[in-house]
Amino acid sequence: MTAYRPHAGRFHAAVAVAAPQRVGTVTSVLGLGLEIAGLNCAVGELITVGSGVETLDAEVVASVSGAVRCMPLGRLTGVAAGAPARAKGTPMLVPTGTGLFGRVLDALGRPIDGKGPLPPSLRVPLDQEAPSAMSRARIDTPLQTGVRVLDTMTTLGRGQRMGLFAGSGVGKSSLLSMVARGTDAEVSVIALVGERGREVREFLEDDLGPEGLARSVVVVATSDEPALMRLRAAVTATRIAESFREAGKDVVLMMDSLTRVAMAQREIGLSAGEPPATRGYPPSTFSVLARLLERAGTAETGSVTGIYTVLVDGDDHNEPIADAARSILDGHVVLDRKLAVTGHFPSVDVLGSVSRVASKVNPREHTALAITLRKVLAARRSAQDLIDVGAYRHGSNPLVDAALDHEAAINQFLRQPMDESTHHSDAWAQLSRLSAHFGHFEGAA
């Protein structure tokens, strides 16, 4: 007869939990990463380095014979060769749900706004495949941004991916804040990647404001954080936006900036041993950008409209990241430094900007209005040298005459104060009234 043991179940459970766990060893800490021997881990797995209270999480970014190379999710200070390392065995999860509205999170989905812990919410794995090409709904509905020049001259569609291309200090972040306050999307997810620490609160309190923050989720990784945290901020924000799309909502995802995401991946790739290619960017940088951008867009239900700022190096719009982003995105808005220094805000270069879905989401009469204004602006630009030296003669070109005669009205339409939001129907009505002044010149060369 077997003796009754009232604690046998608890004993077996404790033995199962305390099963031997394989422990690896840090063999080197070099540059931005570390190498660990003795663990059989795949790329993307999480590892805890150290023991006791002082531990550091890291992610496997490369696997070589007998060792794995990792990038830290924190500072490497205090980590030395010989430190123990253990595989966590669990995927990285991020919070989702309406409880995130008005909150500011770090790259790992932890609150950093001093408002206490997040409410209980569903957590989903960080990694997610992009919707398949054949399951994506067609883009056929315009997205209101509240910015006249965007809503009329480069109309965005729900599920489009648009790039804001500009050098530093030209007004990208300010334009994003206008969109966050004026959009008719149900949810705004904002990723601030590689931002200066000083600018984060300024953006949240001055640019975004309480109205914009109330229906937004903000993910922040400042420029002093490890490269993996900066990359994770972009992926975390994208995953949160995807979770709202899965609930059938229309989301606008704004990321500032895509260039700093690429720079973070460059640091990771070079530390993992990849060879540098174009301007020091390893090949993985461009595949990471493609995977990240493809995750936005439409699905069977809901949409994620992506607006990504691209910081062009030295105002060179043909540098590698800008060139790669332009080839993946569904349009680009160019911000012009010459306009910015004259106080023209938003400093959108209308002729240099294009939306690839504008003709699909706008009725023909709206498309005709935008084309008419573009023709007037193009004629003015072609004659600018003659105008500057006083050699242009009035009457030489009716379109140029119209541009000069109605210059103040054109600038008033294209400019917009930061604290002003214009409904898209009002924006088209204003463009219609403006185009009435030069509509009969539409056929002019």
Side-chain angles (χ1 to χ4, degrees):
M1 182 175 179
T2 305
Y4 173 65
R5 295 182 176 87
H7 303 297
R10 265 186 278 175
F11 173 76
H12 288 302
V15 170
V17 171
Q21 185 180 21
R22 189 167 184 175
V23 179
T25 305
V26 175
T27 57
S28 68
V29 182
L30 182 62
L32 302 175
L34 43 85
E35 190 168 284
I36 297 173
L39 289 180
N40 185 21
C41 295
V43 172
E45 286 195 49
L46 293 180
I47 290 175
T48 300
V49 179
S51 58
V53 180
E54 299 294 331
T55 61
L56 170 71
D57 286 343
E59 180 179 316
V60 178
V61 296
S63 178
V64 295
S65 178
V68 292
R69 291 175 181 166
C70 305
M71 293 293 290
L73 290 167
R75 302 188 185 281
L76 284 171
T77 305
V79 179
R86 296 173 175 83
K88 296 193 75 169
T90 56
M92 187 174 293
L93 303 175
V94 295
T96 64
T98 56
L100 301 182
F101 287 167
R103 302 304 301 267
V104 183
L105 314 176
D106 70 1
L108 302 180
R110 302 173 300 197
I112 57 173
D113 51 10
K115 298 180 181 178
L118 296 174
S121 60
L122 175 67
R123 290 181 173 264
V124 294
L126 181 66
D127 292 325
Q128 173 89 337
E129 290 294 327
S132 67
M134 297 307 296
S135 68
R136 292 181 183 267
R138 295 283 298 268
I139 299 175
D140 55 8
T141 306
L143 175 79
Q144 175 181 306
T145 66
V147 183
R148 284 191 298 270
V149 66
L150 297 184
D151 286 342
T152 56
M153 306 307 294
T154 55
T155 309
L156 277 71
R158 294 182 184 270
Q160 182 177 359
R161 299 159 305 161
M162 179 70 83
L164 297 182
F165 291 72
S168 57
V170 186
K172 300 183 300 298
S173 299
S174 299
L175 184 55
L176 286 183
S177 68
M178 289 182 69
V179 174
R181 293 192 304 271
T183 181
D184 60 352
E186 298 167 89
V187 183
S188 295
V189 180
I190 304 172
L192 303 178
V193 181
E195 281 290 332
R196 305 172 186 88
R198 172 187 62 82
E199 293 182 338
V200 173
R201 283 193 65 180
E202 292 180 3
F203 175 82
L204 295 176
E205 297 174 2
D206 300 339
D207 294 344
L208 190 59
E211 177 189 356
L213 184 60
R215 58 171 178 168
S216 300
V217 183
V218 183
V219 181
V220 176
T222 53
S223 58
D224 61 324
E225 296 192 48
L228 193 57
M229 287 290 278
R230 283 176 270 141
L231 178 62
R232 277 283 167 254
V235 181
T236 297
T238 301
R239 186 66 186 96
I240 292 173
E242 288 174 323
S243 70
F244 285 110
R245 178 180 63 191
E246 290 163 3
K249 297 185 181 296
D250 291 313
V251 187
V252 59
L253 168 64
M254 290 171 278
M255 191 174 295
D256 186 14
S257 72
L258 192 65
T259 304
R260 295 192 183 106
V261 175
M263 289 178 175
Q265 179 59 33
R266 176 169 62 182
E267 294 179 30
I268 295 169
L270 294 178
S271 295
E274 282 191 78
T278 310
R279 292 202 188 178
Y281 288 100
S284 65
T285 302
F286 303 98
S287 62
V288 164
L289 290 182
R291 288 198 303 270
L292 182 66
L293 296 176
E294 280 296 323
R295 288 174 64 172
T298 58
E300 293 182 1
T301 59
S303 66
V304 174
T305 304
I307 303 177
Y308 305 87
T309 68
V310 180
L311 184 64
V312 293
D313 187 13
D315 289 343
D316 176 14
H317 289 264
N318 294 316
E319 58 93 22
I321 299 304
D323 217 25
R326 227 181 355 254
S327 68
I328 302 170
L329 295 168
D330 305 315
H332 54 273
V333 173
V334 176
L335 303 185
D336 190 347
R337 188 177 299 277
K338 293 178 181 178
L339 292 174
V341 298
T342 62
H344 188 292
F345 180 84
S347 54
V348 175
D349 176 9
V350 173
L351 297 179
S353 306
V354 64
S355 170
R356 296 179 182 173
V357 305
S359 61
K360 296 179 175 63
V361 299
N362 283 331
R364 290 186 178 180
E365 56 271 21
H366 285 177
T367 302
L369 291 174
I371 290 175
T372 298
L373 181 54
R374 282 182 176 273
K375 286 183 177 181
V376 172
L377 294 174
R380 164 69 186 263
R381 179 172 294 184
S382 66
Q384 190 61 50
D385 291 341
L386 294 176
I387 296 171
D388 289 341
V389 300
Y392 178 76
R393 294 176 57 187
H394 197 279
S396 301
N397 187 325
L399 286 173
V400 178
D401 295 343
L404 295 175
D405 293 341
H406 303 286
E407 182 176 12
I410 293 173
N411 286 333
Q412 184 178 5
F413 174 76
L414 297 179
R415 293 177 180 176
Q416 187 172 336
M418 266 195 62
D419 57 354
E420 178 184 312
S421 180
T422 305
H423 193 273
H424 64 92
S425 59
D426 294 333
W428 284 112
Q430 291 181 40
L431 180 57
S432 179
R433 290 193 295 270
L434 177 62
S435 298
H437 295 300
F438 37 75
H440 57 288
F441 297 127
E442 187 176 350

